[in-house]
Amino acid sequence: MTWDILIHRGTVIDGSGSPGIIGDVALHAGRIAALGPALAGEAKKVIDATGLAVTPGFIDIKTHSDFVLPINPKAESKVRQGVTTEIIGHCGFSVAPVLPGKAELLADYLSGGAPWLPFREMSFPQYLDTFPAVAVNTGMLVGHNTLRLMVMGLEDRSPTKRELGEMIALLEDSLRAGALGMSSGLFTPPGSFAQADEIMALCAVLKRHNAGYFTHIRDESNKVMEAVEEAIDIARACGVHTEIVHLKCSGVDNWGKAAQILDKIAAARAAGCDIDCDAYPYAAGANPLKNLLPPWIQIGGKETMLARLALPEVRARIRSEFAEHGLNNWGRIASWEAVQISISPRVPHSAGQTVAALATARGCDPIDQICDHLIADGGATRVLIT
Ligand SMILES: [Zn+2]
């Protein structure tokens, strides 16, 4: 036999959970053709993997690559780390469905994460059908924030029966077409405007389709316990598989709560609740800057928010809420050195600088700096927080 590729003497980890063993892997016609401690035969190409691991492609279960894959289909930053499958559409944010006349609304809403992605009107089935060929396999979730934005805009209230029915119909349509489940982003508008009963009504749809619920919980900082309890309540009430994504205890006042939270999740699992959690493999969070301010600043949409951020009385209220609780969904930070601009489409030279440094350079207060930056950037600034 002449193999196309022979990967020689690597530590082969087969994904079953058993320990790796040193051996050979032969590929032929794009498939694994043989595995063994020392395969005989010729190969057109031999790769010496001595000292390296040979594994199935990694599945990155929690990404926002739907914002970049269509404009960067090679996905090299993932493929070069061994990731071959990504689950996208997390944290309540999906780029579909987009109802007629609402492409700009969604583009503005997602500008803090997807400033360069073109948005167009489309149903979720059309989204799946027209997703470009990319270098990784992709599984899609429907975002609850996107559903709510399409049906209700950025309204801070419960849906009417008709509006809830519209969200359910859009979710049904998406799941029938192949969406793997629904994500929620209860930490930020408009997800934060939804009560648990709304999420439960949508999770009942997930249950019928045997689909999963993936939640960026309502609070990851000062009320993280209550937020985990809400996720457990939803999982228990609806009987859907619930994943708390990127679980963390952010804000200096909350450091050290992880053990208590993990005990709570373990107790729920022991009682038969189908709930799980995952965590980042790195020590920083990425967020649209606007989401770190109190949720009420976003009511009414982008233009209203930008006009609001210019008002001294609004800045005074933000300042006093920050003094009391720290940043929205993040809590108290050690200093403004902890917040660093990562993407700023209209103020690109600020990328890499901290809010502390930018405020010092202008001789202004950090809250004024943030508000001015958001106004200059049309609300699209993104930050890293440590
Ligand atoms: Zn998230």
Side-chain angles (χ1 to χ4, degrees):
M1 180 78 191
T2 301
W3 317 110
D4 290 338
I5 298 173
L6 179 66
I7 305 171
H8 189 55
R9 298 287 297 167
T11 301
V12 180
I13 297 166
D14 66 7
S16 66
S18 43
I21 43 169
I22 292 176
D24 294 350
V25 179
L27 308 180
H28 189 69
R31 291 182 171 271
I32 294 173
L35 290 168
L39 294 176
E42 299 292 306
K44 290 176 195 159
K45 182 178 182 183
V46 176
I47 299 170
D48 179 12
T50 306
L52 303 174
V54 183
T55 74
F58 299 135
I59 302 172
D60 192 339
I61 60 170
K62 200 280 158 189
T63 90
H64 289 292
S65 296
D66 33 350
F67 299 164
V68 289
L69 282 172
I71 46 180
N72 182 18
K74 288 185 178 174
E76 286 186 274
S77 63
K78 290 300 170 95
V79 172
R80 288 178 183 276
Q81 297 183 76
V83 173
T84 54
T85 300
E86 296 195 55
I87 308 302
I88 60 178
H90 273 283
C91 302
F93 314 136
S94 58
V95 303
V98 186
L99 299 184
K102 301 209 167 155
E104 198 183 341
L105 176 69
L106 187 62
D108 282 345
Y109 176 68
L110 293 178
S111 62
W116 299 288
L117 190 69
F119 286 84
R120 59 196 164 89
E121 291 170 14
M122 60 185 165
S123 66
F124 209 89
Q126 283 169 332
Y127 173 58
L128 295 179
D129 286 348
T130 59
F131 197 78
V134 297
V136 288
N137 303 306
T138 45
M140 277 77 160
L141 304 174
V142 190
H144 165 254
N145 290 23
T146 299
L147 292 180
R148 205 179 206 270
L149 189 74
M150 289 298 112
V151 172
M152 303 175 59
L154 283 160
E155 296 288 324
D156 182 6
R157 61 174 174 80
S158 290
T160 63
K161 207 173 164 193
R162 184 186 58 78
E163 288 166 337
L164 183 60
E166 278 180 50
M167 282 192 263
I168 286 173
L170 289 170
L171 179 58
E172 290 267 14
D173 192 38
S174 311
L175 294 168
R176 270 197 298 267
L180 299 178
M182 182 181 81
S183 70
S184 69
L186 302 176
F187 68 113
T188 194
S192 56
F193 303 145
Q195 304 303 312
D197 59 343
E198 176 181 329
I199 301 299
M200 287 182 186
L202 294 162
C203 283
V205 179
L206 296 175
K207 176 73 179 169
R208 282 206 298 282
H209 288 262
N210 195 28
Y213 172 56
F214 303 81
T215 181
H216 178 150
I217 54 178
R218 201 174 288 277
D219 197 304
E220 295 179 325
S221 57
N222 302 338
K223 292 187 177 165
V224 62
M225 283 297 180
E226 292 90 325
V228 168
E229 278 162 17
E230 180 183 32
I232 292 172
D233 286 347
I234 290 168
R236 188 183 293 122
C238 303
V240 286
H241 174 73
T242 298
E243 173 90 8
I244 300 177
V245 301
H246 57 49
L247 180 61
K248 64 176 87 69
C249 304
S250 50
V252 294
D253 299 333
N254 304 298
W255 293 354
K257 288 183 182 171
Q260 232 179 314
I261 291 172
L262 292 175
D263 284 350
K264 199 179 274 287
I265 293 171
R269 286 168 62 90
C273 191
D274 186 5
I275 190 160
D276 214 330
C277 64
D278 56 72
Y280 295 140
Y282 38 81
N287 257 297
L289 178 57
K290 65 183 176 185
N291 292 359
L292 298 179
L293 298 179
W296 53 261
I297 67 142
Q298 294 189 48
I299 294 171
K302 184 182 85 168
E303 294 306 330
T304 314
M305 176 185 80
L306 296 177
R308 193 178 276 138
L309 288 175
L311 303 173
E313 62 271 28
V314 165
R315 295 183 180 196
R317 187 175 160 197
I318 292 171
R319 204 169 280 117
S320 91
E321 292 189 21
F322 172 72
E324 208 173 322
H325 314 290
L327 295 167
N328 176 51
N329 194 48
W330 193 267
R332 214 172 295 282
I333 48 177
S335 81
W336 286 101
E337 294 288 340
V339 183
Q340 181 183 32
I341 309 295
S342 56
I343 299 173
S344 181
R346 296 183 202 168
V347 196
H349 65 270
S350 65
Q353 298 195 60
T354 64
V355 170
L358 291 165
T360 303
R362 286 182 60 217
C364 73
D365 169 86
I367 297 292
D368 285 327
Q369 170 58 31
I370 287 176
C371 293
D372 290 341
H373 203 126
L374 281 167
I375 292 167
D377 229 352
T381 319
R382 194 165 180 85
V383 294
L384 292 171
I385 322 170
T386 52

